[in-house]
Every structure is written in structure tokens, then in C-alpha cells.
Amino acid sequence: MSYLDLQRREDTVERHSLRRYSKGHYLQQFPDEAIEAFVHRGGSRVGVGLQAYGGAIADVPDEDAAFSHRATLFEFGTGTTWTDPASDAVRTAAARRSAAAMAPFAHGVYVNALSDEGADGVRRAYSPEKLARLIALKDVYDPHNVFHLNQNIQPSTGRDQ
């Protein structure tokens, strides 16, 4: 499958109407205990996947880009989709259990895989040094936090001191 086809595979009216919830982790190692947790998913029967890292991702020094955790072995993702709003709590809880099963083996997260973690998730996505650099950029280019609808990095002027 080409990268373009991968990105478009759910790009249909039917897929956009689904409710969905997902979580993820970076894994720098994949010991037997992590494999066991992956297989059992915290008792949840939700979708899971591993994306291999390394290669060109690892060729760039971590400090040279906002994209972090370049020593990652795998990116773990878990998620579920459904249509009935009455299933929201059950389906969300299942994906959270699946992610929690892998949390002891996690080291960071891809910022685009964050869902409802807020500032805690952003801190998992970036090292303290990199987050400080991104906050400094936000202070210069977006001090009023106009661009806040993503996984928000708040400018220092909007932080509790």
C-alpha cells in the first residue's frame, strides 16, 4: 500500500461519520512482558498495532526537530470506532484499558496520537528541553495562544506562575 493510499483509506463519508477513540505510546524496547500485555490488551478487544521506527527517523538527531523520541523501536496504537453514542463510555474505557496495559513499557508518545490527555500528554510527547524550546517559539509567534485547538503548547504568558 502506498503512503497516499494509507492516508486515504478511511477518507470516506461513511468513515467520517464514526465515533472513535484512540491512544498510543512509544516503546523503546519490547520485552516478553510487553508482548504479553500487547496480546491481552488489558482484557479489551480493541484494535491494536505496532509501527516500526528506526531508519530515516533515527538518522536525525532528536534536538534538531520538534518530532521527538527518535530512539523508539515501535509506536503502539490502540483504538476503536463505533456509531451509537450510548456506547461512548464502554468503548472509550476499552481503549483506555488497552493503552494502560502497555503504559509500564512506554517512553513518550507521538503528539498526533494524543487524544484527551491535555498538558500531561504534551509533556509525554516532548522532553523538558524540547518543550521549553517550543514554549519559547510560542511566546514569539503566538503569545496570545490563537493556535490552541491542537495539542496545545501554551505560551509562558498564559501559564500559572
Side-chain angles (χ1 to χ4, degrees), residues 23 25 27 38 41 46-51 74-79:
K23 291 183 85 63
H25 298 296
L27 307 172
F38 177 80
R41 302 178 196 76
V46 296
V48 293
L50 295 172
Q51 179 175 326
F74 293 111
E75 180 183 354
F76 164 80
T78 185

Side-chain angles (χ1 to χ4, degrees), residues 13-86:
V13 172
E14 297 81 21
R15 297 298 295 173
H16 285 289
S17 67
L18 293 175
R19 303 173 80 78
R20 56 185 80 222
Y21 187 84
S22 61
K23 291 183 85 63
H25 298 296
Y26 281 143
L27 307 172
Q28 289 186 341
Q29 300 177 19
F30 204 49
D32 290 347
E33 297 85 2
I35 294 169
E36 188 72 18
F38 177 80
V39 169
H40 294 288
R41 302 178 196 76
S44 301
R45 294 297 166 219
V46 296
V48 293
L50 295 172
Q51 179 175 326
Y53 275 47
I57 291 172
D59 288 347
V60 176
D62 194 65
E63 64 274 3
D64 286 355
F67 182 84
S68 294
H69 304 285
R70 292 175 177 275
T72 294
L73 178 65
F74 293 111
E75 180 183 354
F76 164 80
T78 185
T80 181
T81 58
W82 66 99
T83 56
D84 183 1

Side-chain angles (χ1 to χ4, degrees), residues 96-116:
R96 286 179 177 152
R97 279 193 310 277
S98 178
M102 296 301 292
F105 313 102
H107 183 74
V109 63
Y110 179 39
V111 71
N112 288 349
L114 293 172
S115 54
D116 55 356

